[in-house]
């Protein structure tokens, strides 16, 4: 059977995006191959797609001919639309009877204000559906050959945001350090010096390995590995910045081992 036919079969019986409904859909971390079939089916059905700035053009190109694309990151020439404006826009479009797709990077419920958006929809009485996506934190580690959990090394993994780390009342980094479990940080580049300092002050060994995975799963991907003490300075020196995932902990060391073994038996890790 042709691949296209197989997909057609697979896609029959998928839910229908009805007029007046809003679907909040994760587009994955970047690589179109990491888009889910549900996301694909949603993109094909929408007549308006309100999307984040970082969505790959090849994903947006899947939209139907008559569909309108609106970049929520840059609406009305503004550098960034306020969250309340985006939520209001979704409600407004649904009330006009459109089939509305809110396409978000990664997973809609991980650090992307998707929670706020569904609250606003529910409050306004708009029927909605949420479709999960592959989150950048998990895909980023895979892309960097870092096992997110490793038997004998960690029993948990902490997904955290670095946003607000410079504000009072932010995360208790010392408490996170004390768990001994690896951290996977989103939006952490701006405050990385501060975060590293706070983790070390909280008892994390300065030699703990860390990695920055920039633009994970895209052709601009860059991976930097250094210890937690040096990672922020090294990222600056090598101009490795947002959007990036920062991984901290012993799991990062497994990357080196894995790549070393793979290099000895060349071509084991197929890119
Ligand atoms: N909902 C998204 C996260 C939104 S917050 C998800 O589940 O992935 C935005 C942050 O996600 C960025 O600051 C960055 O830390 C991370 N991010 C998103 N895409 C990324 C990518 N391709 N590579 C590395 N980090 C990414």
């Amino acid at each position: 059977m042709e691949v296209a036919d197989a997909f057609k079969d697979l896609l029959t019986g998928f839910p229908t995006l009805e007029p007046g409904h809003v679907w909040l859909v994760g587009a994955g971390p970047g690589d179109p191959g990491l888009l889910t079939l549900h996301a694909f089916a949603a993109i094909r059905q929408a007549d308006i797609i309100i999307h984040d700035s970082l969505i790959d053009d090849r994903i947006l190109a899947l939209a139907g001919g008559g569909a309108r694309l609106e970049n929520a990151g840059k609406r009305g020439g503004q550098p960034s639309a306020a969250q309340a404006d985006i939520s209001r826009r979704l409600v407004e479009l649904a009330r006009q009877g459109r089939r509305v797709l809110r396409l978000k990077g990664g997973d809609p419920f991980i650090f992307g204000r998707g929670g706020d958006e569904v609250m606003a929809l529910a409050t306004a009485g708009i029927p909605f559906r949420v479709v999960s996506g592959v989150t950048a934190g998990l895909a980023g580690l895979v892309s960097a050959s870092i096992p997110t959990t490793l038997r004998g090394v960690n029993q948990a993994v902490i997904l955290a945001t670095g946003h607000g780390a410079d504000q009072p009342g932010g995360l208790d980094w010392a408490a996170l350090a004390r768990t001994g479990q690896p951290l996977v940080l989103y939006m952490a580049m701006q405050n990385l010096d501060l975060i590293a300092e706070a983790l070390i002050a909280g008892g994390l060994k300065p030699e703990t390995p860390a990695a920055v995975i920039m633009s994970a799963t895209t052709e601009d991907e860059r991976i930097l590995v250094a210890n937690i003490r040096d990672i922020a300075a090294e990222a600056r020196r090598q101009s490795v910045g947002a959007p990036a995932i920062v991984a901290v902990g012993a799991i990062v060391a497994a990357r080196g081992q894995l790549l070393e073994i793979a290099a000895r038996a060349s071509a084991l890790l197929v890119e």
Side-chain angles (χ1 to χ4, degrees):
M1 194 195 294
E2 287 296 317
V3 173
D5 292 338
F7 271 125
K8 224 180 285 154
D9 290 350
L10 203 53
L11 291 171
T12 38
F14 269 36
T16 306
L17 172 47
E18 306 281 354
H21 290 202
V22 178
W23 286 8
L24 214 71
V25 176
D31 178 358
L34 293 172
L35 196 71
T36 66
L37 290 180
H38 268 306
F40 173 72
I43 293 168
R44 298 294 303 166
Q45 295 183 69
D47 47 38
I48 180 148
I49 300 178
I50 312 286
H51 63 89
D52 283 355
S53 290
L54 287 174
I55 311 286
D56 192 287
D57 285 342
R58 289 167 295 175
I59 292 177
L60 297 177
L62 296 171
R68 195 166 127 202
L69 298 175
E70 210 170 279
N71 185 338
K74 289 191 192 129
R75 234 160 40 81
Q78 302 288 319
S80 172
Q83 187 57 48
D85 291 343
I86 297 175
S87 296
R88 248 197 310 274
R89 180 87 180 124
L90 296 176
V91 170
E92 173 186 83
L93 289 166
R95 288 195 173 138
Q96 289 169 10
R98 317 289 282 275
R99 296 179 175 84
V100 187
L101 171 54
R102 171 72 173 111
L103 192 59
K104 299 173 73 71
D107 183 277
F109 276 0
I110 303 250
F111 301 129
R113 309 291 298 267
D116 299 9
E117 292 172 17
V118 285
M119 285 310 170
L121 293 170
T123 305
I126 306 292
F128 65 91
R129 171 188 291 269
V130 184
V131 177
S132 64
V134 179
T135 190
L138 302 183
L141 267 63
V142 170
S143 208
S145 304
I146 299 168
T148 311
T149 67
L150 196 57
R151 199 173 141 84
V153 174
N154 62 317
Q155 295 79 39
V157 58
I158 298 165
L159 305 185
T161 175
H163 182 77
D166 53 346
Q167 309 285 321
L171 261 176
D172 183 348
W173 295 98
L176 295 188
R178 278 195 298 276
T179 65
Q181 302 299 319
L183 308 177
V184 173
L185 308 177
Y186 294 70
M187 295 179 274
M189 295 313 288
Q190 206 183 327
N191 294 325
L192 196 51
D193 288 284
L194 249 166
I195 292 168
E197 257 171 52
L199 289 170
I200 294 168
L204 193 75
K205 288 202 179 67
E207 297 74 32
T208 303
V212 177
I213 307 123
M214 173 184 174
S215 299
T217 81
T218 76
E219 46 202 40
D220 301 323
E221 177 174 289
R222 291 179 64 194
I223 301 166
L224 164 72
V225 176
N227 65 41
I228 187 67
R229 183 188 46 219
D230 303 332
I231 193 94
E234 204 47 42
R236 256 193 309 276
R237 204 176 64 76
Q238 298 191 29
S239 307
V240 173
I245 291 296
V246 180
V248 183
I251 53 168
V252 176
R255 167 177 205 263
Q257 293 160 18
L258 188 61
L259 294 184
E260 200 183 297
I261 300 165
R264 259 188 262 136
S266 65
L268 271 185
L269 179 66
V270 181
E271 302 269 354

